Amino acid sequence: MDYTHLSEFAVRPGALTLWRAELAPGAGWTADERPLASVHVHHCRATDATDPRPGRGRWIGTIFEMDAPFQPAHWRETARRWHARHEGLRTTLTRHDGPEPERLICAAADLGVTAEPIPGITGSREINEYLTGALESRLSPLSWPHCLLATVEHADTGDFTVLVAADHSVMDAYSQAIVILELRTLYAEVARGEQARESPTFGSAADFAQWERDTAAALTPECDAVRYWRRFLDGSGGMLPRFEPAITARGRAATDGEPAPLPQTSVSRKLLSLSDLEQVERAVTDRGHRLSVAVFTALAIAYRRAFGYLSLRAIMPIATRPDLRWLESMGWFVNVVPLDLTLAPDLDLDSALESTRTALRRTRTANDATWTRVLELLNCTDHPRFGISFLDIRALPDHQLVESLRGHTLRAESDSTDEVFFWIVRATDGLRLSTRFPATFPEADMDRFLAEFTRAMREFAIPQAAPVRATTTEPAPLRVPAAARA
């Protein structure tokens, strides 16, 4: 499952329809005393209410092909049941000048779904371009509905493609992955005339927000998690870390004045075949480590070899569903923890793996500490600019079925001049990586970094009669981040 732009997914031609939730005539919103999650509030405050494209760089989603005939009435009921099930999708907020926005909810019984056929837009490219524009202009944390659906009916094959797109405030990466099978199951239930499956695992995102805010309120400047974050920020001049090579490249590009923002470069590719990856997994397991440890170790080795930096420092998004009741919920259940990987100079693989495992275990100190609240306590107003996440798709239910439905998770196009993010997936067919980075950063340099990452991964599978040392090519001069030198 790749994490890509919509423009990188080849939608088959067909009849396009948008679907959105609406309130029944006479229905209204009810004030709810449960707060919004900390990151939700932070997200809303960062949104310009006058921006004509509030979804630009901010929406996320999922696209897949439904393996069933398209029945508009069945799909409408499917979409209604989905919104009714998840309280987060039935939530919006007040807009006032108070300390923070307040939650409003509508009753599940007051929900309807309206269809908006888009005539004349039937080709693959036209569908992608239309949907990209619609999602950028319509999706916002400030305006409900915060989620839009689209279907593309394929008359030649009798099936249809489904797009689910949402403002980040009501969906996270795990939600993106599990929504495919949820909608497929709901559609089948509707077609068979069955009631929707009930489960205690469809917990309310609003209840989670209450839990998260209570946990955040208990943080103090002297608790272990905040002190851990303080040491991490001290390593980059009190700010969140950057992907240093891109910052350096941006500085060179701006010598004649600040350039106008350009769309970021996006790369999605398979780095290791399944057979090659399985060799690596067996070798890493024999050493007593998980694949995730190998992935982050290889990233740190590649950062050293390609660019010469002693440490790989970034933030790492993690899933925060602290109880099984939220296992199948739609919402933003994500925290951010510090990632600081410093390997020994000789890059002995066994030592490097052990160092990485120790560093990853250390991040657990911050797992339940809401990162936005931590930054407030530390008077840090910075925002993440360099992030890395890893997902083993085998942890998801029926992951092979998802692959057969051409399931892809989607991210909006960004024009940030300093953000670099990596999403690494252990997929059913091998190791896949997606990244976005500033247009000013040379693609050749990123290709070199990804090549070094791939080479480092392969080295884990080499029999270790003797330690594999750093490199067979000339390494880059060692560097420390600019912020750390300040």
Side-chain angles (χ1 to χ4, degrees), residues 133-390:
L135 301 178
E136 288 183 354
S137 61
R138 298 194 192 190
L139 289 177
S140 166
L142 306 180
S143 301
W144 189 84
H146 306 298
C147 178
L148 290 173
L149 306 175
T151 56
V152 181
E153 181 184 3
H154 309 298
D156 57 338
T157 56
D159 54 5
F160 61 109
T161 295
V162 174
L163 168 72
V164 183
D167 179 75
H168 210 331
S169 58
V170 298
M171 184 171 284
D172 61 15
Y174 185 75
S175 303
Q176 287 177 272
I178 64 175
V179 71
I180 296 175
L181 293 183
E182 181 180 9
L183 289 177
R184 181 178 181 270
T185 299
L186 280 171
Y187 190 73
E189 289 170 344
V190 171
R192 293 192 297 261
E194 300 172 355
Q195 294 298 310
R197 176 176 68 94
E198 299 291 339
S199 172
T201 58
F202 294 122
S204 167
D207 289 343
F208 168 80
Q210 182 69 69
W211 175 88
E212 183 273 325
R213 292 299 291 270
D214 290 344
T215 303
L219 294 171
T220 70
E222 297 308 316
C223 68
D224 289 345
V226 177
R227 296 205 296 192
Y228 176 60
W229 266 102
R230 182 185 292 116
R231 292 192 296 271
F232 179 71
L233 295 176
D234 287 346
S236 48
M239 303 180 73
L240 293 169
R242 272 71 163 161
F243 187 80
E244 292 289 334
I247 300 300
T248 302
R250 177 172 176 262
R252 289 197 302 266
T255 54
D256 296 327
E258 191 68 22
L262 296 171
Q264 283 202 315
T265 305
S266 174
V267 172
S268 297
R269 63 180 61 157
K270 184 165 73 173
L271 300 181
L272 290 174
S273 68
L274 181 58
S275 60
D276 287 345
L277 180 58
E278 287 175 338
Q279 289 183 41
V280 172
E281 288 175 322
R282 286 192 294 270
V284 171
T285 300
D286 289 344
R287 287 186 167 98
H289 297 284
R290 296 172 180 258
L291 177 62
S292 57
V293 174
V295 166
F296 283 100
T297 302
L299 286 169
I301 291 173
Y303 203 58
R304 175 88 60 87
R305 289 175 175 172
F307 306 121
Y309 289 97
L310 289 166
S311 300
L312 175 67
R313 307 181 75 255
I315 58 93
M316 181 169 63
I318 62 168
T320 53
R321 296 175 185 241
D323 190 275
L324 286 177
R325 60 178 158 153
W326 293 300
L327 183 64
E328 296 183 272
S329 298
M330 291 292 115
W332 200 356
F333 302 84
V334 173
N335 197 22
V336 166
V337 297
L339 180 66
D340 190 343
L341 304 178
T342 302
L343 307 181
D346 66 355
L347 295 183
D348 171 72
L349 293 188
D350 286 315
S351 297
L353 286 165
E354 191 59 44
S355 294
T356 299
R357 177 164 63 179
T358 300
L360 290 174
R361 285 178 172 174
R362 194 178 299 128
T363 66
R364 297 174 187 172
T365 304
N367 276 7
D368 294 328
T370 300
W371 69 277
T372 52
R373 177 56 181 157
V374 170
L375 296 189
E376 287 177 1
L377 290 171
L378 296 177
N379 297 313
C380 177
T381 59
D382 201 11
H383 68 273
R385 291 181 172 85
F386 179 24
I388 304 170
S389 66
F390 171 75

